[in-house]
């Protein structure tokens, strides 16, 4: 199953620039409204039991915010960007998936985290990725979550 592959990939410390992916958890089905409740955050809680995870709540952060990656550090194995909004520009993640991270923290000098020391990326959204094309498709692995945890089903 694709979810098993994604979880195994995130937990393993092996990194290769030619094989690295952004893992993208999203809702499966009607994505016209943000309903959630499908178990995406539950999987993150599971991952936290086995890996050092950093997280950024993206609900109120614009994609062009210069401090969007200020919480990223080399001590984290996985960086979770939770609650990506429908129009979030994944293009700014391209370099982070396959290269070094440029980190800009408020009131501090910028610094670079080399690819070998950088965390893997997990994005969580109630909406599927809006961008398309070869630049994104070679860098992303989308995991759709069904409505198993919805009211009336469990």
């Amino acid at each position: 199953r694709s979810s098993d592959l994604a979880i195994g990939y995130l937990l393993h410390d092996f990194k290769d620039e030619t094989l690295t992916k952004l893992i993208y958890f999203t809702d499966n089905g009607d994505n016209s409204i943000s309903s959630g409740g499908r178990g995406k955050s539950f999987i993150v809680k599971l991952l936290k039991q086995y890996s050092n995870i950093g997280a950024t709540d993206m609900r109120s952060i614009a994609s062009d915010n210069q401090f969007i990656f200020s919480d990223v550090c080399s001590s984290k194995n996985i960086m979770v960007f939770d609650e990506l909004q429908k129009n979030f520009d994944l293009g700014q993640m391209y370099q982070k998936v396959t290269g070094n991270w440029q980190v800009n923290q408020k009131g501090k000098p910028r610094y670079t985290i080399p690819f070998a020391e950088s965390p893997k990326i997990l994005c969580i959204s109630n909406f599927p990725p809006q961008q398309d094309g070869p630049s994104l498709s070679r860098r992303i692995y989308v995991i759709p979550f069904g409505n198993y945890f919805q009211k009336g089903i469990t």
Side-chain angles (χ1 to χ4, degrees):
R1 287 186 3 194
S2 59
S3 58
D4 295 344
L5 290 173
I7 291 168
Y9 166 78
L10 288 167
L11 290 175
H12 201 284
D13 62 356
F14 177 78
K15 286 183 75 173
D16 180 334
E17 293 168 353
T18 63
L19 302 172
T20 304
K21 300 286 185 191
L22 177 154
I23 306 299
Y24 193 98
F25 289 174
T26 187
D27 288 356
N28 191 19
D30 180 16
N31 298 108
S32 58
I33 58 170
S34 175
S35 59
R38 306 215 177 176
K40 300 179 297 290
S41 296
F42 177 79
I43 298 299
V44 173
K45 288 180 182 177
L46 171 77
L47 292 170
K48 285 181 181 179
Q49 300 299 311
Y50 299 98
S51 189
N52 190 3
I53 295 180
T56 299
D57 185 343
M58 301 297 288
R59 278 179 276 224
S60 60
I61 299 177
S63 2
D64 61 350
N65 184 317
Q66 66 176 324
F67 302 110
I68 197 167
F69 303 116
S70 64
D71 293 335
V72 177
C73 61
S74 60
S75 68
K76 304 295 181 192
N77 303 102
I78 303 168
M79 192 67 204
V80 178
F81 296 96
D82 198 6
E83 299 291 345
L84 288 185
Q85 297 306 299
K86 189 173 193 173
N87 60 348
F88 185 82
D89 179 15
L90 285 171
Q92 64 181 316
M93 297 280 202
Y94 293 175
Q95 173 61 30
K96 278 72 173 159
V97 174
T98 57
N100 301 331
W101 284 71
Q102 193 73 11
V103 180
N104 185 16
Q105 296 177 323
K106 291 181 184 179
K108 296 181 180 180
R110 290 178 189 230
Y111 65 95
T112 301
I113 301 173
F115 171 78
E117 299 171 20
S118 67
K120 293 181 180 176
I121 304 171
L122 171 58
C123 292
I124 302 174
S125 179
N126 295 331
F127 306 101
Q130 299 300 305
Q131 293 87 354
D132 199 8
S135 291
L136 180 62
S137 63
R138 74 174 179 262
R139 292 179 172 97
I140 193 168
Y141 193 61
V142 178
I143 307 297
F145 280 70
N147 62 354
Y148 180 78
F149 293 104
Q150 295 291 320
K151 185 177 180 180
I153 295 176
T154 56

